[in-house]
Amino acid sequence: MPAVIDTIIFDLDGTLLNTLTDLTNSVNYALEKYQLPTYSLDQVRQMVGNGVTVLMERAIPGGQSFDRFQDCLNTFKEHYEVHKKDNTCPFPGIINFLKKADASGYKLAVVSNKFDLAVKELCQDFFSPYITTAIGESSQTSPKPAPDTVYKAMEELHSLPEQCIYVGDSDVDISTAKNAGIPCISVSWGFRSRQFLSAHGASTIIDTAKELEKVIFPSA
């Protein structure tokens, strides 16, 4: 018999949390400090998804060839650590979905390319007690789309790949799920459009948390 799905692994930024304003503010704070051009929300939206180092590589003209790149990156991290909850909040319907999933016995995890401490703090502040495993960028694991963080989440939750499903908002998430050998649900409310997701191989795209409920709890 096929295994029953009992584990949901989520991306964080753009999937569970709307973090774009705080990310943009911290990017622009760091850029302004080093007299570099700043960006709009929509411009930063296109830069996120591969971790903060890549985000700043994309934001800084010349990327890592900029002679103060590491200083600028550190400035971003320091500012974001203080201001990461100024405007950030869960997307509509997410808390209700997590409550329902938890009450139905699902194991819930987050894997993110955001730095590990921020991932753990944000999940603790916004999603406790529903999400019990939160894994971010660290020197111990390769970032997405490598499957390492997904495998680590499976290990912590004692789940097999055939018991898992992945939920994310980007092409990075589609590739991550594929590399981990698990199905992916793509959400259109995050950092990438429905058209973009479809063009990058999304097999299931949903537009609201209510639709996610219908996919996960089809008999409810």
Side-chain angles (χ1 to χ4, degrees), residues 109-175:
V110 159
V111 296
S112 173
N113 280 344
K114 186 191 292 290
F115 42 106
D116 189 62
L117 179 61
V119 172
K120 287 176 166 54
E121 288 179 351
L122 287 168
C123 286
Q124 175 67 31
D125 291 343
F126 286 105
F127 304 127
S128 179
Y130 310 115
I131 290 177
T132 57
T133 291
I135 300 167
E137 179 185 42
S138 72
S139 59
Q140 283 75 48
T141 53
S142 297
K144 300 186 294 183
D148 300 37
T149 52
V150 175
Y151 291 154
K152 186 174 180 182
M154 290 180 191
E155 182 181 355
E156 289 189 15
L157 293 174
H158 305 290
S159 297
L160 299 172
E162 55 266 30
Q163 297 171 294
C164 298
I165 196 164
Y166 187 99
V167 182
D169 73 303
S170 74
D171 51 318
V172 174
D173 295 311
I174 294 168
S175 296

Side-chain angles (χ1 to χ4, degrees), residues 28-168:
N28 285 338
Y29 175 86
L31 295 174
E32 285 178 347
K33 183 172 180 179
Y34 294 93
Q35 293 80 51
L36 297 170
T38 58
Y39 297 94
S40 68
L41 286 172
D42 282 341
Q43 288 173 316
V44 173
R45 183 192 304 273
Q46 304 308 314
M47 300 177 188
V48 296
N50 294 87
V52 297
T53 300
V54 175
L55 169 60
M56 294 307 290
E57 284 177 356
R58 292 168 175 168
I60 295 170
Q64 293 207 33
S65 65
F66 176 58
D67 59 0
R68 302 293 301 279
F69 176 83
Q70 193 60 48
D71 293 334
C72 192
L73 173 61
N74 290 339
T75 298
F76 164 84
K77 288 182 177 181
E78 290 163 5
H79 186 272
Y80 187 71
E81 176 58 30
V82 174
H83 296 280
K84 64 180 179 289
K85 293 188 291 181
D86 288 0
N87 302 281
T88 287
C89 61
F91 285 102
I94 288 299
I95 296 298
N96 285 338
F97 175 84
L98 295 177
K99 287 180 180 178
K100 186 171 183 178
D102 179 69
S104 299
Y106 283 83
K107 295 179 281 187
L108 306 174
V110 159
V111 296
S112 173
N113 280 344
K114 186 191 292 290
F115 42 106
D116 189 62
L117 179 61
V119 172
K120 287 176 166 54
E121 288 179 351
L122 287 168
C123 286
Q124 175 67 31
D125 291 343
F126 286 105
F127 304 127
S128 179
Y130 310 115
I131 290 177
T132 57
T133 291
I135 300 167
E137 179 185 42
S138 72
S139 59
Q140 283 75 48
T141 53
S142 297
K144 300 186 294 183
D148 300 37
T149 52
V150 175
Y151 291 154
K152 186 174 180 182
M154 290 180 191
E155 182 181 355
E156 289 189 15
L157 293 174
H158 305 290
S159 297
L160 299 172
E162 55 266 30
Q163 297 171 294
C164 298
I165 196 164
Y166 187 99
V167 182

Side-chain angles (χ1 to χ4, degrees), residues 170 174 184-187 193-194 196-205:
S170 74
I174 294 168
C184 182
I185 299 172
S186 298
V187 307
S193 69
R194 171 179 273 273
F196 179 95
L197 294 168
S198 179
H200 285 79
S203 57
T204 302
I205 305 175

